[in-house]
Amino acid sequence: MSILSLKDGVPARNQADQIPWPQKAPAACPISAVKSRLRSVGLRPTRQRMALGWLLFAKGDRHVSAEMLYEEALRAREPLSLATVYNTLRQFSEAGLLRQVSVSGPKTFFDTNVSEHHHFYNEDDETVVDIPGSEIQVSGLPVAPEGMVVSSVEVIVRLRRADGQETVAKLAGSGRA
């Protein structure tokens, strides 16, 4: 259950709610929408941000790792470094355009769906799938330390094959997330 950010006891407005997003088809996601989205959160629409924004948001809600997005950029013949991809994903996350989903140690996915929801993480093929926020009820949260407020609670349900068999090929690099 995600809890809205509070400032002086008043829920903060989610910046992602201000622009209809994400579009479900690339044809419905013109480059001007990417530019508007970046500007609405105070990011300058550089060539790199525009290219990565298009790759991220034109396909609707999805989960990508930095490496997956880097591979997509290479296939799209965008001359970007992996460091640029990491920096841009961090900037998009800090601006509220993406949610970071840390699934295992350093393994992090970036979610284009910033609404209240949770995740399944399939350990066998390293994929992440949304769970609607209404399907999980969290109760009994501890009281936050003095001077702090709970900003969110995110549940990650880990999955693996019930028969104990290992998946033959990992699909993490395939773009399926």
Side-chain angles (χ1 to χ4, degrees):
M1 168 185 78
S2 185
I3 300 170
L4 292 175
S5 299
L6 297 176
K7 184 173 183 175
D8 302 324
V10 178
R13 185 173 171 144
N14 186 349
Q15 292 174 332
D17 293 338
Q18 297 173 9
I19 296 175
W21 203 269
Q23 305 294 328
K24 297 299 180 191
C29 181
I31 203 73
S32 62
V34 175
K35 186 180 287 188
S36 295
R37 187 76 191 264
L38 293 174
R39 285 186 172 146
S40 75
V41 296
L43 291 175
R44 195 166 57 89
T46 63
R47 184 191 58 77
Q48 294 91 345
R49 287 178 185 149
M50 293 291 293
L52 292 174
W54 173 261
L55 290 171
L56 280 167
F57 300 117
K59 296 178 183 177
D61 293 341
R62 64 195 199 117
H63 307 90
V64 297
S65 68
E67 292 78 11
M68 291 164 60
L69 187 58
Y70 177 67
E71 288 176 18
E72 285 184 33
L74 289 178
R75 284 193 302 274
R77 297 200 163 118
E78 286 295 333
L80 303 170
S81 69
L82 183 56
T84 297
V85 172
Y86 272 105
N87 289 335
T88 302
L89 288 170
R90 180 186 49 76
Q91 292 166 351
F92 284 10
S93 297
E94 289 172 355
L97 298 175
L98 297 173
R99 280 178 60 182
Q100 287 189 28
V101 181
S102 298
V103 293
S104 178
K107 186 71 174 179
T108 299
F109 287 88
F110 295 86
D111 190 349
T112 59
N113 177 358
V114 295
S115 70
E116 180 179 315
H117 68 284
H118 307 283
H119 295 96
F120 282 118
Y121 173 62
N122 187 325
E123 295 174 341
D124 293 329
D125 65 8
E126 297 182 341
T127 56
V128 177
V129 178
D130 287 345
I131 303 171
S134 61
E135 288 190 20
I136 293 181
Q137 302 298 315
V138 177
S139 63
L141 290 176
V143 175
E146 187 174 332
M148 305 297 287
V149 296
V150 176
S151 65
S152 70
V153 175
E154 298 176 27
V155 176
I156 297 176
V157 179
R158 297 177 182 284
L159 306 171
R160 66 174 172 240
R161 289 177 51 113
D163 61 11
Q165 297 288 324
E166 285 192 31
T167 303
V168 175
K170 297 280 183 184
L171 299 175
S174 69
R176 290 181 20 169

